[in-house]
Amino acid sequence: MLRRNKTARLLSPAIALALMAPAVYAPMALAQEDAADLEEIIVTGARGRPRTVTDSPVPVDVFSAAEIEAISYTDTNDIIKTLVPSFNISRQPISDGASFIRPASLRGLPTDKTLVLVNSKRRHRAALVAIGGSGTQGPDMATIPAVAIQNIEVLRDGAAAQYGSDAIAGVINFLLKENREGGSVSIDTGQYSEGDGASTTVQGNIGLPLGDDGFLSISGEFYEADQTTRSNQYCEGWFCLNRNDPSWNSFVNASSASQIRGVGWNGNPATRLHYGMDNQAFLSSTHMANIGDGDVVQPWGQPDAEAARVFFNAGVDLDGNNELYGFGNFSDSSSNGSFFYRYPYNGTIEELREPDGSVYFPLEKHPGGFTPRFFGDVRDVSIVGGIRGEMDNGLGYDFSVRSGESEIQYTLKNTINPSMGPDSPTSFRPGDLINSETQLQADFTYELDNGALLAFGASWMDESYDVVQGEEDSYRAGPYATRDPHGFCNGDTPTEKGMAVAGLDCANSNDPVWNVVGVGSNGFPGYSPQFSDVYERNSYGLYGDISGDVTDELFLQAAVRYEDYDDFDAELVWKLAAQLDVTDNFGVRGSIGTAFRAPTPGQQGTTNVSTRLPQGFPVATGLFPAGGPVAQALGAVPLKPEKSENLTFGFTAQLLETIDLTVDFFRIDVEDRTRAISTRSVSTDPNSGEAYQNFLALDAAGVAGANSIGGVFYFTNGFNTSTQGVDIVATAPFEWGEMGTTTVTASFNFSENKFDTDRSVVGRYLNNEAQHDFENYDPNWRGVITARHELNQLTLIGRVSYYGESTNSNTGGSDALGLRYQHFDPTWYTDIEGQYRFNDTFRLSLGARNAFDEYPAQGVIGDTCCGRLWESATGMDWQGAYYYGRLTVDF
């Protein structure tokens, strides 16, 4: 049967990143194998022959199944974050779909610029398009159970010339297990030191024979986690529920609307009489707004989650050199989390005049206000099949077809459509998002007479992104989206109909008759027919790659790729790479090339109107497609591909015979970078200048509830950027005789982003705060140091993770840019774990993640308000220590 560990000539280019044996990150192998076995074989990261780690012309990290199992996380995203310092991902509560599918970054660039492969085949994208920043839409790596993975390879170099669009920052390749017998089952359970967030993960793998040499490896995972709450009781200058805060008394003692109208609870006697309580009693009742665990109205933390996932990998030998193969997955997960707390008289919970003139108050549905609860059900499915082998003339081939789909179904509960008044339901289905891909691919390899390896091939891909219309009430513009919907007033005087309304005061701007409230399910309005559509495209690509040893010391590689998208012009990209062995223990390597990334159909078609809370006041903020009539009325132009130039240069060395060291410098220049513009204000006030013009543009484009939208933005290719840095990886084994073996791996990454476009041009799209945070918000330095000590059946693991200093900004400062700043000092986290193998079957692990209960500094500016203590986008852990145990049974 054809296997990945056979001769180089049998390697298909479709497995161009396949690992031949553990590499730089395989400390157990480095410590235990003989010197003759230390030449770990990997593939170079291009479509060529396998090479040793120190001979690779580009930096590749390789992680074995044992190293993956040694990580306390079960989410594949968090596993890679723990192992690869240049890979970052954050937990983002109150972040729409990003609470369920988390966007990440590699080498300072968003995850949509990293190509993800499974068994060296492109992985389909998730349905989520992040609505801020770069509008990331990449694969959801959480759908790949860790127990299914045999190896992970991370190529830290641009590779679009080999693999096509998306591979600007690098490539992550997951190689699945191929066992035809045996397997394992593990149960992992733990809880945070705060007493919440309990989680349980059950994983299993079994290998079954198919014929004489075939295999079927099936892996499954069930995951369940409770929510965490890391927030304080809601208390701000505009509304306070914390009895221990001085602001509490100002609300308790308020007796007139004029005292706090517009910034919090309206204490007018009529409303208090209607609810039969004084201000203190009402404020106390707001605790009823909380949904979930805890005693705060604004829960902020890890959401509730549950997932069931299955992956299979199969291969059947046809004859000595040909194989049928297939793999695929099914994943179903659900999660939910809270949005911001809505307090009375904040623009959402407002008194409204009903058709009979009586006053309706949403507190009748939600006493004490409400906190919307957002639910996401994510379904992910894929299937890949093909045949590969070698013809009699030595031509290697791989024909494959793949299909994948990701779907998010949204539900919103404990909220209202304010514009519907008393007729509003409290639960909504705002719609679904579906991303689908189908790809046909043919890859070939041929060894030339001079020993060089030629790889070439072609592919065709069809993509679609479906924005599925929500139920009507989720986007309906009810009567209270306009002033005086029932015709009670004619200016300052009542109409004949209004004269019959008791207490009506048309001359009073605070009379409920004049209140205008938002359209759609509050927190996440549904997808209306106007913005529900299917966005489709297809593309084809041709590539060629040649590599070989020019001399015993010099290896060269060259690749070129042509891709044609039916919604963009064709692109031609190239790459050159080289490795020079200066001595037996020292080599230099580098690559230079171009790459590109075509905007996805999702980025071109997604629309979103969500509620933001600047200064605690809810504002409906709309994202509209750059190529659509709404955004173009605001000045947008259709998106175009991002292009890049990539340069990597570094060296590999073996020091003192046992220490492996790699140092690689990189620079990635991205032209026409895709990014969301800073939110532009919208106002119905004719004296508000540009904000009023934005309202007129929305209204003219037929946007429902345009008068209730306070901000708009869209994606654009407004400027160029450069990302540069260095990756440092060192591995050293230490032998202690009868006391065992210790292997230390240290990995550090430095990355920084800069604008390559004049700031006056950048300023057309990004405000000063966004510009500063683009360059300074994320820590430049990140590192991971792991020590693994093995003594007979006992294994001890210690790991420290380092996050360097960073700076956040916010408007309202006194400097020349009008900004305020908060500086964050470096932070260290420590993980410890002990493993004991009782026999060949049972293994027990006990450990602590963030064992010393470290937290990053709490935010004092930005979006840390309303009970939220840390920035949503921070990549640092803010949940405290997590203690866990894991029992593994091998069979």
Side-chain angles (χ1 to χ4, degrees):
M1 175 182 179
L2 180 63
R3 295 284 189 167
R4 291 187 179 85
N5 58 0
K6 285 198 172 185
T7 59
R9 73 176 63 189
L10 297 182
L11 282 174
S12 161
I15 53 172
L17 285 176
L19 171 67
M20 300 300 130
V24 173
Y25 280 104
M28 288 192 299
L30 284 171
Q32 296 174 352
E33 293 186 11
D34 296 332
D37 297 323
L38 289 180
E39 290 295 309
E40 299 89 358
I41 303 299
I42 65 168
V43 176
T44 62
R47 296 181 181 270
R49 66 175 71 253
R51 299 181 62 81
T52 64
V53 173
T54 55
D55 286 337
S56 173
V58 290
V60 182
D61 301 329
V62 184
F63 307 98
S64 67
E67 293 169 283
I68 297 169
E69 292 175 2
I71 304 301
S72 61
Y73 291 101
T74 57
D75 187 310
T76 301
N77 283 304
D78 292 314
I79 290 173
I80 299 176
K81 173 185 174 180
T82 304
L83 293 170
V84 183
S86 60
F87 182 88
N88 285 286
I89 191 167
S90 59
R91 171 69 65 186
Q92 299 188 18
I94 316 180
S95 191
D96 299 321
S99 297
F100 314 132
I101 299 177
R102 298 185 292 159
S105 66
L106 180 69
R107 295 203 299 165
L109 292 172
T111 190
D112 60 354
K113 296 171 182 59
T114 297
L115 179 62
V116 176
L117 309 173
V118 175
N119 281 352
S120 300
K121 303 296 184 184
R122 179 185 286 264
R123 180 74 173 162
H124 63 275
R125 301 183 185 92
L128 174 70
V129 177
I131 61 174
S134 295
T136 296
Q137 186 190 9
D140 182 9
M141 289 183 285
T143 60
I144 306 173
V147 71
I149 303 169
Q150 182 63 39
N151 293 304
I152 302 174
E153 308 153 353
V154 181
L155 167 65
R156 292 177 278 109
D157 193 46
Q162 292 81 39
Y163 296 101
S165 180
D166 303 346
I168 289 179
V171 179
I172 300 177
N173 189 20
F174 297 92
L175 299 177
L176 303 176
K177 291 179 179 177
E178 295 184 346
N179 53 311
R180 54 181 275 112
E181 61 183 11
S184 66
V185 175
S186 68
I187 301 175
D188 184 301
T189 185
Q191 183 172 300
Y192 286 96
S193 58
E194 293 288 332
D196 58 7
S199 66
T200 299
T201 304
V202 180
Q203 294 185 321
N205 167 267
I206 187 171
L208 302 172
L210 287 181
D212 293 336
D213 296 311
F215 70 92
L216 172 61
S217 183
I218 303 174
S219 303
E221 173 186 86
F222 174 78
Y223 169 75
E224 186 176 50
D226 297 335
Q227 75 170 28
T228 62
T229 300
R230 300 291 181 270
S231 51
N232 289 335
Q233 183 58 283
Y234 196 107
C235 187
E236 301 293 340
W238 50 83
F239 196 83
C240 182
L241 296 174
N242 185 353
R243 293 177 175 83
N244 298 319
D245 192 283
S247 299
W248 165 266
N249 292 327
S250 66
F251 292 100
V252 169
N253 298 326
S255 58
S256 68
S258 62
Q259 285 182 273
I260 51 178
R261 174 73 180 181
V263 296
W265 157 246
N266 178 359
N268 73 72
T271 302
R272 293 203 312 274
L273 180 63
H274 179 75
Y275 288 98
M277 61 181 75
D278 60 18
N279 284 0
Q280 182 167 355
F282 174 81
L283 291 169
S284 298
S285 77
T286 56
H287 288 285
M288 298 173 64
N290 183 38
I291 298 297
D293 298 330
D295 58 357
V296 297
V297 299
Q298 180 58 74
W300 188 85
Q302 169 185 290
D304 289 315
E306 184 176 294
R309 301 183 172 108
V310 177
F311 234 108
F312 81 91
N313 188 30
V316 177
D317 189 24
L318 299 179
D319 54 45
N321 287 329
N322 299 281
E323 178 192 25
L324 283 174
Y325 64 89
F327 57 92
N329 84 290
F330 177 81
S331 173
D332 185 68
S333 62
S334 60
S335 185
N336 64 88
S338 294
F339 281 169
F340 285 104
Y341 165 62
R342 272 61 165 166
Y343 56 83
Y345 291 97
N346 67 348
T348 298
I349 302 176
E350 295 285 347
E351 294 174 318
L352 305 169
R353 291 276 183 192
E354 296 193 57
D356 63 359
S358 61
V359 175
Y360 163 75
F361 202 27
L363 292 184
E364 295 176 16
K365 294 181 181 290
H366 296 287
F370 63 92
T371 302
R373 195 74 174 179
F374 195 42
F375 296 76
D377 294 320
V378 182
R379 184 183 63 87
D380 186 282
V381 62
S382 69
I383 186 71
V384 180
I387 182 172
R388 61 190 170 204
E390 183 181 351
M391 300 180 184
D392 292 340
N393 61 2
L395 180 68
Y397 69 90
D398 185 340
F399 300 108
S400 64
V401 58
R402 73 172 181 90
S403 179
E405 181 176 280
S406 172
E407 178 181 12
I408 306 177
Q409 297 180 348
Y410 289 133
T411 301
L412 195 59
K413 297 181 179 181
N414 199 56
T415 187
I416 57 174
N417 180 339
S419 69
M420 293 179 64
D423 296 328
S424 172
T426 59
S427 178
F428 303 85
R429 282 278 289 113
D432 308 331
L433 300 173
I434 305 173
N435 186 85
S436 302
E437 299 175 23
T438 299
Q439 185 176 20
L440 304 176
Q441 188 164 323
D443 302 296
F444 304 92
T445 58
Y446 187 76
E447 186 173 353
L448 304 178
D449 292 340
N450 62 1
L453 191 68
L454 175 66
F456 58 96
S459 71
W460 175 87
M461 184 163 66
D462 179 77
E463 306 172 72
S464 69
Y465 191 77
D466 189 359
V467 181
V468 181
Q469 179 180 331
E471 63 179 15
E472 186 175 1
D473 285 346
S474 71
Y475 60 80
R476 182 198 302 270
Y480 301 100
T482 59
R483 293 156 55 94
D484 188 19
H486 308 300
F488 292 144
C489 295
N490 182 11
D492 291 345
T493 60
T495 61
E496 181 178 353
K497 185 177 181 180
M499 294 177 66
V501 176
L504 175 67
D505 185 356
C506 295
N508 181 2
S509 61
N510 287 327
D511 191 281
V513 74
W514 299 119
N515 286 333
V516 176
V517 288
V519 171
S521 45
N522 186 254
F524 193 94
Y527 302 119
S528 68
Q530 182 182 6
F531 298 107
S532 301
D533 205 346
V534 179
Y535 302 85
E536 300 177 299
R537 75 158 175 227
N538 59 70
S539 62
Y540 69 89
L542 304 170
Y543 76 90
D545 182 298
I546 187 168
S547 61
D549 293 303
V550 179
T551 69
D552 290 342
E553 294 79 23
L554 179 62
F555 174 85
L556 293 179
Q557 200 163 47
V560 64
R561 188 181 188 96
Y562 173 86
E563 289 210 6
D564 191 332
Y565 289 79
D566 65 0
D567 52 351
F568 297 107
D569 294 334
E571 297 287 347
L572 182 68
V573 294
W574 56 270
K575 179 178 178 179
L576 298 173
Q579 164 73 22
L580 176 64
D581 295 329
V582 180
T583 70
D584 290 342
N585 297 320
F586 182 82
V588 294
R589 62 186 181 184
S591 69
I592 185 171
T594 61
F596 76 101
R597 192 197 69 82
T600 69
Q603 287 175 313
Q604 297 179 76
T606 192
T607 184
N608 179 283
V609 177
S610 55
T611 302
R612 306 290 184 228
L613 271 82
Q615 306 304 317
F617 195 83
V619 175
T621 304
L623 166 69
F624 298 99
V630 177
Q632 292 196 357
L634 298 167
V637 296
L639 293 176
K640 54 186 177 181
E642 298 168 294
K643 302 177 182 180
S644 74
E645 295 180 353
N646 300 59
L647 175 65
T648 301
F649 176 78
F651 66 86
T652 65
Q654 188 176 72
L655 309 177
L656 302 177
E657 297 184 353
T658 59
I659 301 175
D660 285 337
L661 173 68
T662 64
V663 178
D664 294 282
F665 300 89
F666 64 88
R667 180 183 173 100
I668 307 170
D669 294 327
V670 181
E671 177 184 341
D672 297 325
R673 183 157 176 174
T674 301
R675 193 167 179 88
I677 68 169
S678 295
T679 302
R680 296 180 177 175
S681 297
V682 177
S683 176
T684 57
D685 182 0
N687 298 317
S688 60
E690 182 182 352
Y692 181 64
Q693 296 303 314
N694 291 335
F695 160 71
L696 294 178
L698 293 179
D699 191 54
V703 177
N707 58 339
S708 65
I709 291 178
V712 291
F713 64 106
Y714 50 82
F715 297 125
T716 188
N717 303 102
F719 45 81
N720 306 331
T721 66
S722 66
T723 302
Q724 59 187 6
V726 61
D727 290 308
I728 305 170
V729 179
T731 303
F734 298 92
E735 297 282 356
W736 307 106
E738 294 182 356
M739 298 302 295
T741 301
T742 302
T743 303
V744 178
T745 301
S747 313
F748 287 90
N749 167 261
F750 174 86
S751 299
E752 64 177 359
N753 287 294
K754 297 291 183 183
F755 291 105
D756 274 352
T757 300
D758 187 270
R759 290 303 179 103
S760 62
V761 176
V762 178
R764 300 173 190 170
Y765 307 100
L766 301 181
N767 59 28
N768 289 335
E769 178 185 350
Q771 292 182 50
H772 175 275
D773 291 349
F774 176 84
E775 295 182 329
N776 300 282
Y777 181 82
D778 292 322
N780 294 129
W781 280 102
R782 181 160 182 258
V784 178
I785 303 174
T786 301
R788 181 185 183 107
H789 181 78
E790 292 185 295
L791 176 62
N792 300 322
Q793 290 85 13
L794 178 65
T795 300
L796 300 177
I797 301 171
R799 180 181 296 108
V800 291
S801 299
Y802 171 80
Y803 292 83
E805 61 184 10
S806 62
T807 304
N808 185 29
S809 72
N810 194 219
T811 57
S814 58
D815 71 349
L817 299 177
L819 299 177
R820 298 180 294 155
Y821 305 94
Q822 181 178 4
H823 178 80
F824 295 92
D825 292 329
T827 304
W828 293 84
Y829 297 96
T830 302
D831 302 341
I832 55 176
E833 179 176 317
Q835 300 177 0
Y836 188 82
R837 178 174 285 280
F838 295 93
N839 48 44
D840 291 340
T841 302
F842 294 98
R843 183 171 74 252
L844 178 65
S845 302
L846 298 174
R849 188 167 66 231
N850 188 9
F852 300 122
D853 204 27
E854 292 292 330
Y855 287 82
Q858 294 183 6
V860 295
I861 62 174
D863 61 3
T864 50
C865 79
C866 315
R868 178 165 52 179
L869 305 177
W870 293 278
E871 293 280 331
S872 287
T874 179
M876 291 180 280
D877 179 74
W878 39 259
Q879 302 202 82
Y882 178 84
Y883 307 109
Y884 63 93
R886 179 187 301 141
L887 177 64
T888 303
V889 180
D890 298 312
F891 56 89

